[in-house]
Amino acid sequence: MQNSYPLWKNALILLAFLVAIIYALPNLYGEDPSVQVSSNRATPLAQPKADEIQNLVKSLNAPVKDFEFKDGHVLVRFTNTDDQLKTADLLRDKMGSDYTVALNLAPTTPGWLRALGADAMYLGLDLRGGVHFLLEVDMDAAAKQAEERYNDDLRLALRGANLRYQSVAKDNGFIKIKLKTADEKPQLLALLNKDFHSLEVTEPEAADEVWLKISERELKETSKNAVAQNMTTLRNRVNELGVAEPVIQQQGENRIMVQLPGVQDTTRAKEILGTTATLEYRLVDVEHDVQKAVEGHPPVGSRLYYEKNGQPILLNRQIIVTGDQIVDASSGIDQDGRPAVFISLNGVGAAKMGKLTQANVGKPMAVVFIEYKVETKVVNGEKIRHKEKVEKVISVATIQGVFSKRFQTTGLDSPQEARNLSLLLRAGALAAPVDIVEERTVGPSLGQDNIDKGFLSFVVGFVLVVLFMAVYYRLFGLIANFALAFNVVIVVAILSMLQATLTLPGIAGIILTVGMSVDANVLIFERVKEEIRNGNSPAASIFIGYEKAFATILDSHVTNLVVAVVLFAFGTGSVKGFAVTLIIGILSSMFTAITGTRMVINWIYGDRRVEKLSI
């Protein structure tokens, strides 16, 4: 039979429509203004703390819509933003720095849809708003890090040139080198002129000393590069969060604006964006007495650290590899069932690690976790932000064999800590610490009036197309309208499954696909009418109309698809959002306009003998 689909094909088309309806449904439900409370420590919130937070919220007498405790964090839903903001301010004052209190917009999707993995698509800042962060780059820390690098590099260079020295130390913006004897000073100056010509050299009265200082020009360049590197790292971290169409821009000399449209979990966004975390691998100094270092007399080539259990440990000042030499990191479980991060190094890092492990088999190596924490304290009624660099040894293990490019790091407290650390290492370490100086949830940037107009334009365009098709093509037009509606449902469902961000340009792409979908049906229906005028039977006209129009429809859709792909590849921001909806709309319109309408027409007409078609 020409005009009939086999049972399996009908079932497959209906299943596709059913799945589209299910995954588009969450977009009909709204969102609740909420406050989310999470722990800043490795261990998540426990039930007693959740009960304490609930009692604290109840003491405000705010109308709470719902109170949820799940996955180690508390989510309090409200009916309006005034109660949300009031509660958030109270919790920030009461909870302290060990907890993160963030504003949130929690979806009201029913549980049975969430169980199927159906979530609403994100809306951009111009439709629903999102999260706005203003980050300040710590330029002083960037300068200190540069001094630290030069300090270590100078020690290595002096040892490599066999120059004996008493000390290499940072003091008041200078790196002061004190030699064993003044006779080696000319050799030192030659070395500095050759390998460290960017440093400004000062010769004090002492004949055996040389003072070095980083030039103002290099400091400015270091600060500039730190901001640029931080922007790149933040983009990588935003990509890891799965946010579409983020806005990351530099403001002034040392500030970066980050806007995350449609973000649901603002707590995680704040944690990932603001955290400065990296790793350092160092050999353990087993030759010197740790107790003397604790008493304030560490050996020249070592530094005193503390393990998680509070035990002191001496580590070599020489760093084997750092976080910026890590090219990939993934979390998992090691052979002993402990959370671990599996790390891959670049060529330079792999060569250094391979050389060191080959020469130190049987010796212990430590992993140092480094992060910067910002704590706000109230002193004399004024809020003062205190920055602290936290360094802790998370793992000490004996080098059992030679390894270089890929290895694992253990000693983490939980799988969640392993996941967060792997994300940060994979995205790249921040070149300098950042401080979140401003955080807010922003409303639609174009205003509610523009949003209403955008939605109204879609409704008016859709209704006009529906009326034209129903009047001009009668029953066939109604079938095309059915396919048109499902085309929109499929586009929304796919955007929801991809958790893409819909913006006003995206809506424009959907409106454009509405016209393209109808255009395909117009080509088919006109070909059917032409075959009827040529004297063919209604059944044969339907079959020939669909078969002959397919090549033309395919050509037009492929050319449009090529343009949409080019827009996506080379466009940015709103252009990319328009291209995404256009690509999805083109593919779905091919399915609904050809396969969907033909299935319904087959049901109505099939190969029955009818004298006239309602077209």
Side-chain angles (χ1 to χ4, degrees):
M1 297 175 67
Q2 291 179 324
N3 296 323
S4 65
Y5 282 157
L7 180 61
W8 68 266
K9 196 169 186 178
N10 286 324
L12 194 61
I13 296 172
L14 291 174
L15 179 62
F17 286 161
L18 178 62
V19 170
I21 291 173
I22 290 174
Y23 282 90
L25 270 179
N27 296 282
L28 298 179
Y29 299 90
E31 295 168 324
D32 292 329
S34 308
V35 174
Q36 183 170 298
V37 183
S38 304
S39 173
N40 287 335
R41 293 170 293 187
T43 54
L45 282 174
Q47 186 64 52
K49 195 66 180 179
D51 295 336
E52 180 184 334
I53 295 172
Q54 187 173 11
N55 294 331
L56 191 59
V57 173
K58 285 181 179 179
S59 66
L60 273 179
N61 296 321
V64 176
K65 184 177 180 180
D66 194 17
F67 188 94
E68 299 177 11
F69 176 58
K70 186 179 179 182
D71 298 331
H73 68 259
V74 169
L75 186 71
V76 188
R77 296 174 180 263
F78 299 90
T79 55
N80 58 74
T81 55
D82 290 339
D83 294 328
Q84 176 200 28
L85 297 174
K86 183 179 178 182
T87 305
D89 290 339
L90 172 77
L91 291 175
R92 287 192 182 103
D93 292 337
K94 298 291 185 181
M95 299 301 295
S97 60
D98 288 337
Y99 301 91
T100 298
V101 179
L103 301 176
N104 213 330
L105 290 171
T108 57
T109 307
W112 68 273
L113 281 175
R114 290 201 300 266
L116 294 173
D119 295 306
M121 61 182 164
Y122 292 151
L123 300 179
L125 288 170
D126 52 357
L127 292 180
R128 191 206 69 182
V131 183
H132 170 97
F133 292 113
L134 187 61
L135 309 176
E136 186 174 74
V137 181
D138 190 343
M139 295 304 191
D140 293 335
K144 289 179 181 177
Q145 288 175 1
E147 288 182 1
E148 189 71 36
R149 286 194 299 270
Y150 273 119
N151 194 53
D152 293 338
D153 291 344
L154 284 166
R155 290 175 182 273
L156 292 174
L158 291 172
R159 291 171 188 165
N162 294 321
L163 288 171
R164 296 173 299 165
Y165 63 92
Q166 291 185 18
S167 64
V168 177
K170 296 179 296 178
D171 183 19
N172 235 359
F174 288 91
I175 302 175
K176 298 181 178 180
I177 301 177
K178 186 175 180 62
L179 297 170
K180 289 277 189 181
T181 171
D183 296 339
E184 294 183 332
K185 190 171 183 178
Q187 189 179 349
L188 171 61
L189 294 174
L191 174 66
L192 295 175
N193 185 54
K194 177 184 175 184
D195 296 335
F196 299 92
H197 51 82
S198 59
L199 295 175
E200 295 178 353
V201 179
T202 301
E203 298 185 47
E205 294 181 0
D208 58 350
E209 288 188 19
V210 173
W211 295 1
L212 305 173
K213 187 175 184 180
I214 303 175
S215 65
E216 290 295 328
R217 180 180 177 182
E218 185 172 354
L219 284 176
K220 288 182 179 179
E221 191 67 24
T222 299
S223 300
K224 182 180 177 181
N225 292 338
V227 175
Q229 174 62 38
N230 279 3
M231 290 182 66
T232 301
T233 301
L234 289 172
R235 286 193 182 95
N236 293 336
R237 293 185 179 183
V238 168
N239 290 337
E240 294 282 352
L241 287 169
V243 179
E245 300 184 37
V247 177
I248 301 176
Q249 297 175 345
Q250 182 174 347
Q251 286 192 350
E253 293 185 354
N254 64 335
R255 291 192 171 187
I256 301 172
M257 180 190 70
V258 180
Q259 290 183 350
L260 307 179
V263 164
Q264 300 278 342
D265 189 355
T266 59
T267 302
R268 179 162 172 78
K270 183 177 180 180
E271 176 186 351
I272 296 303
L273 290 179
T275 302
T276 305
T278 188
L279 296 178
E280 290 180 352
Y281 293 84
R282 300 172 182 258
L283 282 176
V284 178
D285 184 353
V286 295
E287 298 177 358
H288 296 91
D289 186 5
V290 179
Q291 191 58 40
K292 288 185 178 180
V294 174
E295 294 170 358
H297 305 287
V300 175
S302 301
R303 284 184 59 188
L304 179 65
Y305 287 86
Y306 288 90
E307 299 184 58
K308 284 185 175 182
N309 58 9
Q311 290 294 320
I313 184 173
L314 273 178
L315 303 183
N316 286 359
R317 286 186 176 271
Q318 181 182 356
I319 302 172
I320 306 168
V321 293
T322 56
D324 58 354
Q325 294 169 321
I326 296 173
V327 295
D328 189 28
S330 60
S331 61
I333 303 297
D334 68 358
Q335 61 270 22
D336 296 323
R338 298 171 299 179
V341 175
F342 301 93
I343 292 173
S344 296
L345 299 176
N346 61 15
V348 175
K352 291 175 67 176
M353 182 65 78
K355 182 178 180 181
L356 184 130
T357 53
Q358 186 176 17
N360 294 276
V361 173
K363 296 181 180 179
M365 182 173 67
V367 184
V368 183
F369 177 78
I370 303 172
E371 65 176 333
Y372 287 83
K373 289 187 176 181
V374 179
E375 186 177 356
T376 303
K377 296 182 178 179
V378 179
V379 180
N380 297 327
E382 294 184 3
K383 291 184 177 180
I384 299 176
R385 305 177 77 89
H386 174 68
K387 299 177 184 179
E388 181 183 4
K389 182 180 181 181
V390 179
E391 298 178 281
K392 58 182 178 181
V393 177
I394 63 172
S395 176
V396 178
T398 302
I399 301 173
Q400 302 291 346
V402 179
F403 55 87
S404 57
K405 186 173 180 60
R406 185 165 175 81
F407 54 93
Q408 69 182 34
T409 293
T410 57
L412 301 159
D413 289 330
S414 66
Q416 180 63 38
E417 185 179 1
R419 284 192 294 269
N420 285 349
L421 179 58
S422 65
L423 187 155
L424 294 170
L425 294 175
R426 190 163 57 246
L430 292 172
V434 294
D435 183 14
I436 299 178
V437 296
E438 182 182 331
E439 174 197 358
R440 67 176 184 269
T441 302
V442 296
S445 60
L446 298 182
Q448 188 64 41
D449 185 53
N450 285 346
I451 297 172
D452 294 339
K453 287 180 179 179
F455 181 74
L456 181 62
S457 65
F458 170 77
V459 172
V460 170
F462 187 85
V463 169
L464 288 177
V465 169
V466 166
L467 290 176
F468 172 80
M469 294 298 291
V471 171
Y472 195 81
Y473 291 107
R474 302 179 184 177
L475 179 60
F476 275 67
L478 292 175
I479 296 171
N481 290 335
F482 159 79
L484 183 61
F486 263 102
N487 181 36
V488 176
V489 171
I490 290 174
V491 171
V492 172
I494 293 176
L495 289 173
S496 300
M497 285 189 282
L498 295 176
Q499 287 292 275
T501 301
L502 180 67
T503 59
L504 280 175
I507 292 178
I510 295 176
I511 296 173
L512 180 59
T513 59
V514 168
M516 294 172 57
S517 179
V518 170
D519 180 58
N521 284 126
V522 168
L523 290 173
I524 294 171
F525 297 164
E526 287 299 324
R527 188 57 189 257
V528 171
K529 291 168 70 174
E530 182 181 345
E531 293 301 323
I532 291 175
R533 288 193 294 267
N534 291 337
N536 287 315
S537 66
S541 297
I542 293 172
F543 178 79
I544 295 172
Y546 273 95
E547 293 295 321
K548 297 297 184 181
F550 177 76
T552 304
I553 295 170
L554 181 63
D555 288 344
S556 64
H557 280 66
V558 166
T559 53
N560 288 328
L561 186 62
V562 170
V563 173
V565 170
V566 171
L567 285 175
F568 180 80
F570 296 101
T572 57
S574 58
V575 175
K576 194 181 287 287
F578 172 78
V580 169
T581 54
L582 188 59
I583 291 170
I584 296 172
I586 290 171
L587 297 176
S588 66
S589 68
M590 286 283 290
F591 173 71
T592 56
I594 298 175
T595 309
T597 58
R598 189 167 187 182
M599 179 188 71
V600 178
I601 290 173
N602 288 347
W603 288 350
I604 297 174
Y605 290 103
D607 285 314
R608 292 189 295 113
R609 293 184 178 276
V610 293
E611 295 182 358
K612 189 177 181 181
L613 296 175
S614 179
I615 187 172

